[in-house]
Amino acid sequence: MEQKNLHVAVVGATGAVGQQMIQTLEKRNFPIGTLTLLSSERSAGKKVMFKGQEIEVQAAKPESFETVDIALFSAGGAVSKALAPEAVKRGAIVVDNTSAFRMDENVPLVVPEVNEEDLKWHNGIIANPNCSTIQMVVALEPIRQAFGLKKVIVSTYQAVSGAGAQAITELKSQAKAILEGASFTPEILPVKSDRKHYQMAFNVIPQIDKFQDNGFTFEEIKMINETKKIMHMPELEVAATCVRIPVITGHSESVYIEVEKDAVSAEEIKHVLKEAPGIVLQDDPSEQLYPMPADCEGKSEVFVGRIRKDLDRDHGFHLWIVSDNLLKGAAWNSVQIAESLLKLGLVK
Amino acid sequence: MEQKNLHVAVVGATGAVGQQMIQTLEKRNFPIGTLTLLSSERSAGKKVMFKGQEIEVQAAKPESFETVDIALFSAGGAVSKALAPEAVKRGAIVVDNTSAFRMDENVPLVVPEVNEEDLKWHNGIIANPNCSTIQMVVALEPIRQAFGLKKVIVSTYQAVSGAGAQAITELKSQAKAILEGASFTPEILPVKSDRKHYQMAFNVIPQIDKFQDNGFTFEEIKMINETKKIMHMPELEVAATCVRIPVITGHSESVYIEVEKDAVSAEEIKHVLKEAPGIVLQDDPSEQLYPMPADCEGKSEVFVGRIRKDLDRDHGFHLWIVSDNLLKGAAWNSVQIAESLLKLGLVK
């Protein structure tokens, strides 16, 4: 990687993902000369540690992006829509972790293990996919390359940290109340801005994001559309059911796929995944070895296991995919995109 | 229902399911003259309330079943294998909630809403299916009747009470320890008799029951084989991924199905399920209405929602199915079988 002293900005620096972005930039020793931390007016003034120094968070405004080389956005779609074009206008490359630009045909949607090449046609903004999509395509792409891919059906088991820091607090305080027999009032989950809120501790909520008119949630449609875009497969059949469960960090996915090639074995799938970038194969039933969110928290890889051939269809396989939704699902994928931009010489 | 003063025995009377069986017999005002409560030597001597009277639990032995008309077994497969034939020898009809006889071709496997008629060819033992199977077939059977059924792919979200009372205690104490920052040692889940045990609180374990050599767990194979047997559809394609989550009671299932008939709409599926026995339709995205385990605990019905047509396949549909695994999944289905036996005049 070319060493530069870049000016990097993190927008949403006090949020659950923003905090992970800052820690990941530090851990990766990303070549930063200046780090600007931005947030809403409400969080401005807070102090955040980076490489042993305190940095004061400032309220984000168009002028904040003067001299910025790379801006990592994770402060909600409205902030990205308003400020990402302002950052680009001032010469920054934006890596946006919201859904604001993901399906914009002028914006590449990138998971470096899958479609790093798409960075080459960026127009200032690069979109970071939805957390549940990222971990799935990392596992699907090597299978597609080796055996082709026709169909995907996924049911998710998603952690509350995907709904932000307030959702983590709500899950913990609810669990405590239930264990103590105390009362509580749900206020955040499943969707803070939706009308009804439900118990999350010791419960399952089959709603992530709001509903579309067709009965699917936006989260489900994101998984469907983003998977097709990232993998360059508009014809791929993808179906998703997205479900929130009482886990703090780490999304799990039960995935059924159908490959193109005949007579593929589960062992061949395992072999391909074992050699693939960004994946840790954890698949040994005789040792009760399979991925679980409690083991994946804080790790940057995608963990895959429970790989088995369908008992009815020669082309069918089942997989179990787990990853830290705040890292590979968000902060790490964003920083990884920034590293790819440097590697490809795309940062002027 | 013919009124009789029956002699009923409950084997496993002190367990999680046994307790629910006794409460269900009382709630349904089942025509009991004598109630005999049986258990292992270890639990013998405990007292259990039934209709305001204390009944002492006795150690189960072959002679315990003299004069018993109906014996409800839920004390593990080994107890059923040893004692169910002894009960039948003494004239009792056995309703067995373990997996001991489920796939025996001389034993009907019954969910009354689906195949009550199979009770007519019983040979003394009637098997109660696995909890996760029961709630699924209750929802699938009316769809099969109306539109035919070709394929089922299910991913489960199963509560710990399916692993017994000790698993409930373990989940609660682990959750408390994690919230307080204390240490803990997993000892029960995922499978008490398996070698390794894992954190369940705020985690997901993709293993229920032990593994077979083909990479599927016994729980998954049970769902596959039992569904085909109950629905009389050996040719039905069924695939299952069974997953334990940190919920105390109430199994949830994300189910993809393909029907035979062309051009069926989601509205037609909803209409059929709304009219079907034992089902409560909870499906209104505009009101954020869908089934959740916290709402289904203590209720005997199967709750179905999130019904939507697949975006790629005309014959494909997605469903979300929730039920109390201790009631419809176990105790209530067993008592319901006993009620059907009376209704059909099969208790001499």
Side-chain angles (χ1 to χ4, degrees), chain A residues 19-38:
Chain A
Q19 288 289 307
Q20 294 292 335
M21 283 174 166
I22 296 162
Q23 289 176 30
T24 303
L25 287 167
E26 177 164 343
K27 213 176 288 173
R28 297 290 301 179
N29 202 21
F30 194 81
I32 294 177
T34 307
L35 180 63
T36 296
L37 301 183
L38 302 170

mmCIF file with all atom_site columns, all heavy atoms in Angstrom, chain A residues 19-38:
data_model
loop_
_atom_site.group_PDB
_atom_site.id
_atom_site.type_symbol
_atom_site.label_atom_id
_atom_site.label_alt_id
_atom_site.label_comp_id
_atom_site.label_asym_id
_atom_site.label_entity_id
_atom_site.label_seq_id
_atom_site.pdbx_PDB_ins_code
_atom_site.Cartn_x
_atom_site.Cartn_y
_atom_site.Cartn_z
_atom_site.occupancy
_atom_site.B_iso_or_equiv
_atom_site.pdbx_formal_charge
_atom_site.auth_seq_id
_atom_site.auth_comp_id
_atom_site.auth_asym_id
_atom_site.auth_atom_id
_atom_site.pdbx_PDB_model_num
ATOM 1   N N   . GLN A 1 19 ? -17.893 4.326  15.982 1.00 0.00 ? 19 GLN A N   1
ATOM 2   C CA  . GLN A 1 19 ? -16.878 3.958  16.973 1.00 0.00 ? 19 GLN A CA  1
ATOM 3   C C   . GLN A 1 19 ? -16.014 2.806  16.465 1.00 0.00 ? 19 GLN A C   1
ATOM 4   O O   . GLN A 1 19 ? -14.790 2.806  16.627 1.00 0.00 ? 19 GLN A O   1
ATOM 5   C CB  . GLN A 1 19 ? -17.573 3.542  18.288 1.00 0.00 ? 19 GLN A CB  1
ATOM 6   C CG  . GLN A 1 19 ? -18.181 4.701  19.055 1.00 0.00 ? 19 GLN A CG  1
ATOM 7   C CD  . GLN A 1 19 ? -17.106 5.580  19.677 1.00 0.00 ? 19 GLN A CD  1
ATOM 8   O OE1 . GLN A 1 19 ? -16.233 5.093  20.379 1.00 0.00 ? 19 GLN A OE1 1
ATOM 9   N NE2 . GLN A 1 19 ? -17.151 6.872  19.399 1.00 0.00 ? 19 GLN A NE2 1
ATOM 10  N N   . GLN A 1 20 ? -16.661 1.813  15.841 1.00 0.00 ? 20 GLN A N   1
ATOM 11  C CA  . GLN A 1 20 ? -15.918 0.672  15.297 1.00 0.00 ? 20 GLN A CA  1
ATOM 12  C C   . GLN A 1 20 ? -15.037 1.114  14.125 1.00 0.00 ? 20 GLN A C   1
ATOM 13  O O   . GLN A 1 20 ? -13.950 0.576  13.920 1.00 0.00 ? 20 GLN A O   1
ATOM 14  C CB  . GLN A 1 20 ? -16.877 -0.432 14.831 1.00 0.00 ? 20 GLN A CB  1
ATOM 15  C CG  . GLN A 1 20 ? -17.675 -1.096 15.957 1.00 0.00 ? 20 GLN A CG  1
ATOM 16  C CD  . GLN A 1 20 ? -16.808 -1.923 16.878 1.00 0.00 ? 20 GLN A CD  1
ATOM 17  O OE1 . GLN A 1 20 ? -15.748 -2.395 16.490 1.00 0.00 ? 20 GLN A OE1 1
ATOM 18  N NE2 . GLN A 1 20 ? -17.241 -2.088 18.116 1.00 0.00 ? 20 GLN A NE2 1
ATOM 19  N N   . MET A 1 21 ? -15.515 2.091  13.339 1.00 0.00 ? 21 MET A N   1
ATOM 20  C CA  . MET A 1 21 ? -14.707 2.603  12.216 1.00 0.00 ? 21 MET A CA  1
ATOM 21  C C   . MET A 1 21 ? -13.406 3.216  12.732 1.00 0.00 ? 21 MET A C   1
ATOM 22  O O   . MET A 1 21 ? -12.323 2.954  12.194 1.00 0.00 ? 21 MET A O   1
ATOM 23  C CB  . MET A 1 21 ? -15.484 3.669  11.434 1.00 0.00 ? 21 MET A CB  1
ATOM 24  C CG  . MET A 1 21 ? -16.559 3.102  10.513 1.00 0.00 ? 21 MET A CG  1
ATOM 25  S SD  . MET A 1 21 ? -17.528 4.459  9.780  1.00 0.00 ? 21 MET A SD  1
ATOM 26  C CE  . MET A 1 21 ? -18.386 3.567  8.463  1.00 0.00 ? 21 MET A CE  1
ATOM 27  N N   . ILE A 1 22 ? -13.528 4.031  13.778 1.00 0.00 ? 22 ILE A N   1
ATOM 28  C CA  . ILE A 1 22 ? -12.343 4.698  14.331 1.00 0.00 ? 22 ILE A CA  1
ATOM 29  C C   . ILE A 1 22 ? -11.365 3.671  14.879 1.00 0.00 ? 22 ILE A C   1
ATOM 30  O O   . ILE A 1 22 ? -10.150 3.727  14.621 1.00 0.00 ? 22 ILE A O   1
ATOM 31  C CB  . ILE A 1 22 ? -12.777 5.713  15.419 1.00 0.00 ? 22 ILE A CB  1
ATOM 32  C CG1 . ILE A 1 22 ? -13.625 6.825  14.772 1.00 0.00 ? 22 ILE A CG1 1
ATOM 33  C CG2 . ILE A 1 22 ? -11.567 6.294  16.144 1.00 0.00 ? 22 ILE A CG2 1
ATOM 34  C CD1 . ILE A 1 22 ? -14.459 7.625  15.753 1.00 0.00 ? 22 ILE A CD1 1
ATOM 35  N N   . GLN A 1 23 ? -11.890 2.676  15.604 1.00 0.00 ? 23 GLN A N   1
ATOM 36  C CA  . GLN A 1 23 ? -11.016 1.632  16.146 1.00 0.00 ? 23 GLN A CA  1
ATOM 37  C C   . GLN A 1 23 ? -10.366 0.807  15.030 1.00 0.00 ? 23 GLN A C   1
ATOM 38  O O   . GLN A 1 23 ? -9.212  0.388  15.145 1.00 0.00 ? 23 GLN A O   1
ATOM 39  C CB  . GLN A 1 23 ? -11.811 0.699  17.072 1.00 0.00 ? 23 GLN A CB  1
ATOM 40  C CG  . GLN A 1 23 ? -12.204 1.383  18.390 1.00 0.00 ? 23 GLN A CG  1
ATOM 41  C CD  . GLN A 1 23 ? -13.086 0.486  19.258 1.00 0.00 ? 23 GLN A CD  1
ATOM 42  O OE1 . GLN A 1 23 ? -12.973 -0.734 19.205 1.00 0.00 ? 23 GLN A OE1 1
ATOM 43  N NE2 . GLN A 1 23 ? -13.960 1.098  20.031 1.00 0.00 ? 23 GLN A NE2 1
ATOM 44  N N   . THR A 1 24 ? -11.129 0.573  13.965 1.00 0.00 ? 24 THR A N   1
ATOM 45  C CA  . THR A 1 24 ? -10.590 -0.223 12.858 1.00 0.00 ? 24 THR A CA  1
ATOM 46  C C   . THR A 1 24 ? -9.504  0.548  12.118 1.00 0.00 ? 24 THR A C   1
ATOM 47  O O   . THR A 1 24 ? -8.467  -0.020 11.745 1.00 0.00 ? 24 THR A O   1
ATOM 48  C CB  . THR A 1 24 ? -11.724 -0.645 11.889 1.00 0.00 ? 24 THR A CB  1
ATOM 49  O OG1 . THR A 1 24 ? -12.714 -1.361 12.633 1.00 0.00 ? 24 THR A OG1 1
ATOM 50  C CG2 . THR A 1 24 ? -11.203 -1.541 10.776 1.00 0.00 ? 24 THR A CG2 1
ATOM 51  N N   . LEU A 1 25 ? -9.714  1.850  11.903 1.00 0.00 ? 25 LEU A N   1
ATOM 52  C CA  . LEU A 1 25 ? -8.679  2.686  11.264 1.00 0.00 ? 25 LEU A CA  1
ATOM 53  C C   . LEU A 1 25 ? -7.382  2.626  12.077 1.00 0.00 ? 25 LEU A C   1
ATOM 54  O O   . LEU A 1 25 ? -6.289  2.514  11.522 1.00 0.00 ? 25 LEU A O   1
ATOM 55  C CB  . LEU A 1 25 ? -9.161  4.139  11.160 1.00 0.00 ? 25 LEU A CB  1
ATOM 56  C CG  . LEU A 1 25 ? -10.246 4.412  10.116 1.00 0.00 ? 25 LEU A CG  1
ATOM 57  C CD1 . LEU A 1 25 ? -10.860 5.808  10.337 1.00 0.00 ? 25 LEU A CD1 1
ATOM 58  C CD2 . LEU A 1 25 ? -9.706  4.283  8.693  1.00 0.00 ? 25 LEU A CD2 1
ATOM 59  N N   . GLU A 1 26 ? -7.526  2.666  13.410 1.00 0.00 ? 26 GLU A N   1
ATOM 60  C CA  . GLU A 1 26 ? -6.349  2.612  14.279 1.00 0.00 ? 26 GLU A CA  1
ATOM 61  C C   . GLU A 1 26 ? -5.679  1.242  14.197 1.00 0.00 ? 26 GLU A C   1
ATOM 62  O O   . GLU A 1 26 ? -4.458  1.135  14.017 1.00 0.00 ? 26 GLU A O   1
ATOM 63  C CB  . GLU A 1 26 ? -6.738  2.937  15.728 1.00 0.00 ? 26 GLU A CB  1
ATOM 64  C CG  . GLU A 1 26 ? -5.564  2.818  16.682 1.00 0.00 ? 26 GLU A CG  1
ATOM 65  C CD  . GLU A 1 26 ? -5.798  3.491  18.035 1.00 0.00 ? 26 GLU A CD  1
ATOM 66  O OE1 . GLU A 1 26 ? -6.724  4.323  18.155 1.00 0.00 ? 26 GLU A OE1 1
ATOM 67  O OE2 . GLU A 1 26 ? -5.042  3.185  18.973 1.00 0.00 ? 26 GLU A OE2 1
ATOM 68  N N   . LYS A 1 27 ? -6.502  0.181  14.308 1.00 0.00 ? 27 LYS A N   1
ATOM 69  C CA  . LYS A 1 27 ? -5.978  -1.180 14.316 1.00 0.00 ? 27 LYS A CA  1
ATOM 70  C C   . LYS A 1 27 ? -5.258  -1.505 13.004 1.00 0.00 ? 27 LYS A C   1
ATOM 71  O O   . LYS A 1 27 ? -4.240  -2.182 12.984 1.00 0.00 ? 27 LYS A O   1
ATOM 72  C CB  . LYS A 1 27 ? -7.144  -2.165 14.532 1.00 0.00 ? 27 LYS A CB  1
ATOM 73  C CG  . LYS A 1 27 ? -6.779  -3.396 15.314 1.00 0.00 ? 27 LYS A CG  1
ATOM 74  C CD  . LYS A 1 27 ? -8.013  -4.280 15.569 1.00 0.00 ? 27 LYS A CD  1
ATOM 75  C CE  . LYS A 1 27 ? -8.964  -3.666 16.590 1.00 0.00 ? 27 LYS A CE  1
ATOM 76  N NZ  . LYS A 1 27 ? -10.223 -4.445 16.714 1.00 0.00 ? 27 LYS A NZ  1
ATOM 77  N N   . ARG A 1 28 ? -5.804  -1.014 11.875 1.00 0.00 ? 28 ARG A N   1
ATOM 78  C CA  . ARG A 1 28 ? -5.224  -1.291 10.557 1.00 0.00 ? 28 ARG A CA  1
ATOM 79  C C   . ARG A 1 28 ? -4.047  -0.352 10.260 1.00 0.00 ? 28 ARG A C   1
ATOM 80  O O   . ARG A 1 28 ? -3.426  -0.463 9.216  1.00 0.00 ? 28 ARG A O   1
ATOM 81  C CB  . ARG A 1 28 ? -6.288  -1.128 9.472  1.00 0.00 ? 28 ARG A CB  1
ATOM 82  C CG  . ARG A 1 28 ? -7.449  -2.087 9.584  1.00 0.00 ? 28 ARG A CG  1
ATOM 83  C CD  . ARG A 1 28 ? -7.054  -3.516 9.255  1.00 0.00 ? 28 ARG A CD  1
ATOM 84  N NE  . ARG A 1 28 ? -6.516  -3.641 7.899  1.00 0.00 ? 28 ARG A NE  1
ATOM 85  C CZ  . ARG A 1 28 ? -6.074  -4.762 7.364  1.00 0.00 ? 28 ARG A CZ  1
ATOM 86  N NH1 . ARG A 1 28 ? -6.083  -5.881 8.079  1.00 0.00 ? 28 ARG A NH1 1
ATOM 87  N NH2 . ARG A 1 28 ? -5.598  -4.804 6.139  1.00 0.00 ? 28 ARG A NH2 1
ATOM 88  N N   . ASN A 1 29 ? -3.784  0.568  11.156 1.00 0.00 ? 29 ASN A N   1
ATOM 89  C CA  . ASN A 1 29 ? -2.743  1.568  10.933 1.00 0.00 ? 29 ASN A CA  1
ATOM 90  C C   . ASN A 1 29 ? -2.928  2.246  9.562  1.00 0.00 ? 29 ASN A C   1
ATOM 91  O O   . ASN A 1 29 ? -1.987  2.403  8.779  1.00 0.00 ? 29 ASN A O   1
ATOM 92  C CB  . ASN A 1 29 ? -1.357  0.921  11.039 1.00 0.00 ? 29 ASN A CB  1
ATOM 93  C CG  . ASN A 1 29 ? -0.293  1.960  11.349 1.00 0.00 ? 29 ASN A CG  1
ATOM 94  O OD1 . ASN A 1 29 ? -0.599  3.046  11.855 1.00 0.00 ? 29 ASN A OD1 1
ATOM 95  N ND2 . ASN A 1 29 ? 0.954   1.646  11.004 1.00 0.00 ? 29 ASN A ND2 1
ATOM 96  N N   . PHE A 1 30 ? -4.164  2.643  9.284  1.00 0.00 ? 30 PHE A N   1
ATOM 97  C CA  . PHE A 1 30 ? -4.502  3.315  8.036  1.00 0.00 ? 30 PHE A CA  1
ATOM 98  C C   . PHE A 1 30 ? -3.709  4.621  7.955  1.00 0.00 ? 30 PHE A C   1
ATOM 99  O O   . PHE A 1 30 ? -3.580  5.331  8.959  1.00 0.00 ? 30 PHE A O   1
ATOM 100 C CB  . PHE A 1 30 ? -6.018  3.580  7.996  1.00 0.00 ? 30 PHE A CB  1
ATOM 101 C CG  . PHE A 1 30 ? -6.523  3.956  6.640  1.00 0.00 ? 30 PHE A CG  1
ATOM 102 C CD1 . PHE A 1 30 ? -6.785  2.977  5.678  1.00 0.00 ? 30 PHE A CD1 1
ATOM 103 C CD2 . PHE A 1 30 ? -6.731  5.293  6.299  1.00 0.00 ? 30 PHE A CD2 1
ATOM 104 C CE1 . PHE A 1 30 ? -7.253  3.327  4.414  1.00 0.00 ? 30 PHE A CE1 1
ATOM 105 C CE2 . PHE A 1 30 ? -7.190  5.639  5.026  1.00 0.00 ? 30 PHE A CE2 1
ATOM 106 C CZ  . PHE A 1 30 ? -7.452  4.653  4.084  1.00 0.00 ? 30 PHE A CZ  1
ATOM 107 N N   . PRO A 1 31 ? -3.118  4.959  6.784  1.00 0.00 ? 31 PRO A N   1
ATOM 108 C CA  . PRO A 1 31 ? -2.190  6.104  6.686  1.00 0.00 ? 31 PRO A CA  1
ATOM 109 C C   . PRO A 1 31 ? -2.879  7.468  6.821  1.00 0.00 ? 31 PRO A C   1
ATOM 110 O O   . PRO A 1 31 ? -3.074  8.172  5.838  1.00 0.00 ? 31 PRO A O   1
ATOM 111 C CB  . PRO A 1 31 ? -1.558  5.927  5.310  1.00 0.00 ? 31 PRO A CB  1
ATOM 112 C CG  . PRO A 1 31 ? -2.564  5.156  4.518  1.00 0.00 ? 31 PRO A CG  1
ATOM 113 C CD  . PRO A 1 31 ? -3.243  4.240  5.494  1.00 0.00 ? 31 PRO A CD  1
ATOM 114 N N   . ILE A 1 32 ? -3.226  7.790  8.066  1.00 0.00 ? 32 ILE A N   1
ATOM 115 C CA  . ILE A 1 32 ? -3.955  9.025  8.343  1.00 0.00 ? 32 ILE A CA  1
ATOM 116 C C   . ILE A 1 32 ? -2.997  10.124 8.785  1.00 0.00 ? 32 ILE A C   1
ATOM 117 O O   . ILE A 1 32 ? -2.183  9.916  9.690  1.00 0.00 ? 32 ILE A O   1
ATOM 118 C CB  . ILE A 1 32 ? -5.003  8.782  9.455  1.00 0.00 ? 32 ILE A CB  1
ATOM 119 C CG1 . ILE A 1 32 ? -6.077  7.810  8.945  1.00 0.00 ? 32 ILE A CG1 1
ATOM 120 C CG2 . ILE A 1 32 ? -5.635  10.098 9.926  1.00 0.00 ? 32 ILE A CG2 1
ATOM 121 C CD1 . ILE A 1 32 ? -7.114  7.460  9.974  1.00 0.00 ? 32 ILE A CD1 1
ATOM 122 N N   . GLY A 1 33 ? -3.088  11.299 8.146  1.00 0.00 ? 33 GLY A N   1
ATOM 123 C CA  . GLY A 1 33 ? -2.375  12.481 8.620  1.00 0.00 ? 33 GLY A CA  1
ATOM 124 C C   . GLY A 1 33 ? -3.276  13.271 9.557  1.00 0.00 ? 33 GLY A C   1
ATOM 125 O O   . GLY A 1 33 ? -2.879  13.636 10.661 1.00 0.00 ? 33 GLY A O   1
ATOM 126 N N   . THR A 1 34 ? -4.511  13.476 9.118  1.00 0.00 ? 34 THR A N   1
ATOM 127 C CA  . THR A 1 34 ? -5.499  14.200 9.927  1.00 0.00 ? 34 THR A CA  1
ATOM 128 C C   . THR A 1 34 ? -6.787  13.386 9.991  1.00 0.00 ? 34 THR A C   1
ATOM 129 O O   . THR A 1 34 ? -7.251  12.879 8.963  1.00 0.00 ? 34 THR A O   1
ATOM 130 C CB  . THR A 1 34 ? -5.838  15.571 9.280  1.00 0.00 ? 34 THR A CB  1
ATOM 131 O OG1 . THR A 1 34 ? -4.601  16.268 9.047  1.00 0.00 ? 34 THR A OG1 1
ATOM 132 C CG2 . THR A 1 34 ? -6.742  16.396 10.170 1.00 0.00 ? 34 THR A CG2 1
ATOM 133 N N   . LEU A 1 35 ? -7.338  13.256 11.211 1.00 0.00 ? 35 LEU A N   1
ATOM 134 C CA  . LEU A 1 35 ? -8.630  12.575 11.365 1.00 0.00 ? 35 LEU A CA  1
ATOM 135 C C   . LEU A 1 35 ? -9.657  13.586 11.860 1.00 0.00 ? 35 LEU A C   1
ATOM 136 O O   . LEU A 1 35 ? -9.498  14.169 12.936 1.00 0.00 ? 35 LEU A O   1
ATOM 137 C CB  . LEU A 1 35 ? -8.511  11.416 12.362 1.00 0.00 ? 35 LEU A CB  1
ATOM 138 C CG  . LEU A 1 35 ? -9.804  10.622 12.602 1.00 0.00 ? 35 LEU A CG  1
ATOM 139 C CD1 . LEU A 1 35 ? -10.278 9.924  11.321 1.00 0.00 ? 35 LEU A CD1 1
ATOM 140 C CD2 . LEU A 1 35 ? -9.621  9.587  13.715 1.00 0.00 ? 35 LEU A CD2 1
ATOM 141 N N   . THR A 1 36 ? -10.698 13.799 11.053 1.00 0.00 ? 36 THR A N   1
ATOM 142 C CA  . THR A 1 36 ? -11.777 14.705 11.452 1.00 0.00 ? 36 THR A CA  1
ATOM 143 C C   . THR A 1 36 ? -12.974 13.862 11.852 1.00 0.00 ? 36 THR A C   1
ATOM 144 O O   . THR A 1 36 ? -13.424 13.018 11.077 1.00 0.00 ? 36 THR A O   1
ATOM 145 C CB  . THR A 1 36 ? -12.152 15.626 10.270 1.00 0.00 ? 36 THR A CB  1
ATOM 146 O OG1 . THR A 1 36 ? -11.019 16.443 9.955  1.00 0.00 ? 36 THR A OG1 1
ATOM 147 C CG2 . THR A 1 36 ? -13.334 16.510 10.622 1.00 0.00 ? 36 THR A CG2 1
ATOM 148 N N   . LEU A 1 37 ? -13.467 14.090 13.057 1.00 0.00 ? 37 LEU A N   1
ATOM 149 C CA  . LEU A 1 37 ? -14.626 13.331 13.539 1.00 0.00 ? 37 LEU A CA  1
ATOM 150 C C   . LEU A 1 37 ? -15.847 14.229 13.530 1.00 0.00 ? 37 LEU A C   1
ATOM 151 O O   . LEU A 1 37 ? -15.840 15.309 14.125 1.00 0.00 ? 37 LEU A O   1
ATOM 152 C CB  . LEU A 1 37 ? -14.350 12.791 14.949 1.00 0.00 ? 37 LEU A CB  1
ATOM 153 C CG  . LEU A 1 37 ? -13.127 11.864 15.065 1.00 0.00 ? 37 LEU A CG  1
ATOM 154 C CD1 . LEU A 1 37 ? -12.996 11.344 16.489 1.00 0.00 ? 37 LEU A CD1 1
ATOM 155 C CD2 . LEU A 1 37 ? -13.218 10.717 14.066 1.00 0.00 ? 37 LEU A CD2 1
ATOM 156 N N   . LEU A 1 38 ? -16.918 13.760 12.860 1.00 0.00 ? 38 LEU A N   1
ATOM 157 C CA  . LEU A 1 38 ? -18.110 14.577 12.670 1.00 0.00 ? 38 LEU A CA  1
ATOM 158 C C   . LEU A 1 38 ? -19.342 13.848 13.200 1.00 0.00 ? 38 LEU A C   1
ATOM 159 O O   . LEU A 1 38 ? -19.389 12.619 13.223 1.00 0.00 ? 38 LEU A O   1
ATOM 160 C CB  . LEU A 1 38 ? -18.291 14.890 11.179 1.00 0.00 ? 38 LEU A CB  1
ATOM 161 C CG  . LEU A 1 38 ? -17.104 15.617 10.523 1.00 0.00 ? 38 LEU A CG  1
ATOM 162 C CD1 . LEU A 1 38 ? -17.274 15.648 9.007  1.00 0.00 ? 38 LEU A CD1 1
ATOM 163 C CD2 . LEU A 1 38 ? -16.972 17.036 11.088 1.00 0.00 ? 38 LEU A CD2 1
#
